[in-house]
Amino acid sequence: MNVTLRVETRTIVRFITVVAIFGLTIFAVWKTGSALTLIGISLFLALALNPPVSRMARLLPHNSRIGATALAYIVMLTILGLFAYVAAPPIVQQTNDFVNNFPAYIEDLSKKQGSFSQFLEKYQLQDELDEFVTKAKQESGAIAGGIGSSVVSGVSSVLNGTISLITILVLTFLMLIEGPAWVQRMWRLYSDNRKLKRDQRLITRMYKVVTGYVNGQVLVAGVNAACAMVVLFILTRIFSEVPLGAVLPLTGIIFIAALIPMFGATIGAIIATTVLLFNNIPAAIIFLVYYILYQQVENNVIQPVVQARTVQLSALGVVTAAIIGITLFGLIGAIIAIPVAGCVRVLIADYIENKHDYVSHHPEQGKLVAVGPSTKKGKEA
């Protein structure tokens, strides 16, 4: 039995065109990946900042959105500037002290007595420690020089990051000012009022997901920073080498780092532990142990519960989305994965709801009609 398939030329042309457009789109996204990343981050920040900017605009004369956006930027940059002014000097000073006193730290380590000395004698590690101290003394100058060269080599990265940050701030500023006008222009393109209402409702729900995610992440970061501040303050009371002036800067660093979902707490822990290590090794170890335990609680309890309520995802959905986002896109994926998953949930729920409404308005679409001889006779009659 021979089967002949006839494919119209128009169908082949359409297929080739679709494949070509798809390939060009993938190529364009790959070539403009960095630019699209900046635009995506700016859009996300604009959505997050839009509620306070809109509230401030209603309080200003003539509902000036430019003035409200500028005021929001001034407040934000002032807070960041004050934080940098308070946090930078202690961290720089501690780093310089560590680099300058590194040989002395090694010498003190070799002279430790008490439980540490007993530990070395019990496990016969004194010879290994002496060898390590000798090598460390010989290489301490190279280590200090290596730190300096690393700082110099990182200047270009800092400059590139600064340029990217300025670009994001400018794009976000323009999006906050022009965004509402562009949205209104988009709504005017609709001719079907019923579809307009449906899409407006859909966009509003997705917008609430993004703002809810931002508010939830700020709450999680606040809890993280508050707990860390209590632990740091206790450490300053126990260990006199830990300065009280480092508590506030480290708390601010932990709060900012914790705004990154899932592994932001790890970044904050590394920075805080490193600073404490410059002052007192036991204090650094205690804080590191605390943070490891806290991060497990945050990742598996606090964040999933908070984001499940704000983004309206289950705790399992929050953790799964974050893991997928981190695996695919790294840091950016970690930030946007949860709100994207929430928006996908909104789209799926809206499709299901509208499909049900469509079937209820057109019940004949959901039925199978059998056509037999009697039906044909009726039609011929």
Side-chain angles (χ1 to χ4, degrees), residues 104-118 120-121 126 129 241 280-282:
Y105 291 153
I106 298 300
E107 185 68 27
D108 292 341
L109 181 63
S110 64
K111 296 179 180 179
K112 288 292 181 183
Q113 303 296 326
S115 58
F116 184 75
S117 178
Q118 296 174 2
L120 294 177
E121 293 178 359
Q126 186 64 48
L129 178 62
E241 296 89 347
N280 188 278
I281 295 177

Side-chain angles (χ1 to χ4, degrees), residues 320-357:
T320 303
I323 293 175
I324 294 175
I326 292 172
T327 303
L328 293 178
F329 303 107
L331 177 61
I332 302 301
I335 296 175
I336 67 173
I338 297 175
V340 167
C343 292
V344 170
R345 185 202 64 82
V346 170
L347 290 172
I348 294 175
D350 180 79
Y351 171 77
I352 294 174
E353 292 172 3
N354 284 276
K355 182 179 180 181
H356 175 73
D357 293 341

Side-chain angles (χ1 to χ4, degrees), residues 176-192:
L176 286 170
I177 294 175
E178 302 182 8
W182 281 101
V183 171
Q184 293 301 321
R185 293 190 188 100
M186 182 183 69
W187 296 139
R188 294 194 195 102
L189 298 176
Y190 282 76
S191 57
D192 186 346

Side-chain angles (χ1 to χ4, degrees), residues 170-222:
V170 172
L171 287 173
T172 304
F173 188 88
L174 295 175
M175 288 179 181
L176 286 170
I177 294 175
E178 302 182 8
W182 281 101
V183 171
Q184 293 301 321
R185 293 190 188 100
M186 182 183 69
W187 296 139
R188 294 194 195 102
L189 298 176
Y190 282 76
S191 57
D192 186 346
N193 189 60
R194 181 173 177 274
K195 184 173 175 55
L196 171 63
K197 297 297 183 183
R198 172 193 167 186
D199 288 352
Q200 285 179 335
R201 183 174 65 253
L202 180 63
I203 294 298
T204 301
R205 291 172 63 184
M206 295 173 67
Y207 172 71
K208 290 181 178 179
V209 165
V210 176
T211 55
Y213 163 76
V214 173
N215 295 333
Q217 195 60 36
V218 170
L219 176 61
V220 171

Side-chain angles (χ1 to χ4, degrees), residues 218-234:
V218 170
L219 176 61
V220 171
V223 173
N224 189 344
C227 294
M229 183 173 64
V230 173
V231 175
L232 288 170
F233 181 78
I234 294 175

Side-chain angles (χ1 to χ4, degrees), residues 21-218:
I21 293 175
F22 180 78
L24 290 174
T25 302
I26 296 298
F27 178 76
V29 171
W30 177 65
K31 294 295 290 185
T32 60
S34 57
L36 292 177
T37 300
L38 295 179
I39 295 173
I41 295 174
S42 302
L43 178 60
F44 183 79
L45 291 176
L47 292 174
L49 293 174
N50 186 62
V53 168
S54 298
R55 284 193 290 269
M56 283 190 289
R58 288 192 291 268
L59 299 176
L60 294 178
H62 307 292
N63 294 331
S64 175
R65 192 167 181 86
I66 297 178
T69 305
L71 183 60
Y73 263 56
I74 291 173
V75 172
M76 180 177 63
L77 294 177
T78 300
I79 294 174
L80 292 177
L82 290 175
F83 170 74
Y85 177 78
V86 173
I91 295 176
V92 172
Q93 183 63 39
Q94 295 295 329
T95 304
N96 291 333
D97 292 344
F98 178 78
V99 172
N100 295 330
N101 298 326
F102 183 77
Y105 291 153
I106 298 300
E107 185 68 27
D108 292 341
L109 181 63
S110 64
K111 296 179 180 179
K112 288 292 181 183
Q113 303 296 326
S115 58
F116 184 75
S117 178
Q118 296 174 2
F119 174 82
L120 294 177
E121 293 178 359
K122 180 178 180 181
Y123 294 98
Q124 300 178 355
L125 298 175
Q126 186 64 48
D127 294 338
E128 287 77 2
L129 178 62
D130 293 339
E131 183 180 356
F132 168 76
V133 170
T134 302
K135 291 182 179 180
K137 288 180 179 179
Q138 295 174 353
E139 299 177 2
S140 59
I143 293 175
I147 295 175
S149 62
S150 299
V151 172
V152 173
S153 63
V155 170
S156 60
S157 300
V158 172
L159 291 177
N160 292 333
T162 302
I163 294 173
S164 299
L165 178 61
I166 293 174
T167 303
I168 291 173
L169 291 176
V170 172
L171 287 173
T172 304
F173 188 88
L174 295 175
M175 288 179 181
L176 286 170
I177 294 175
E178 302 182 8
W182 281 101
V183 171
Q184 293 301 321
R185 293 190 188 100
M186 182 183 69
W187 296 139
R188 294 194 195 102
L189 298 176
Y190 282 76
S191 57
D192 186 346
N193 189 60
R194 181 173 177 274
K195 184 173 175 55
L196 171 63
K197 297 297 183 183
R198 172 193 167 186
D199 288 352
Q200 285 179 335
R201 183 174 65 253
L202 180 63
I203 294 298
T204 301
R205 291 172 63 184
M206 295 173 67
Y207 172 71
K208 290 181 178 179
V209 165
V210 176
T211 55
Y213 163 76
V214 173
N215 295 333
Q217 195 60 36
V218 170

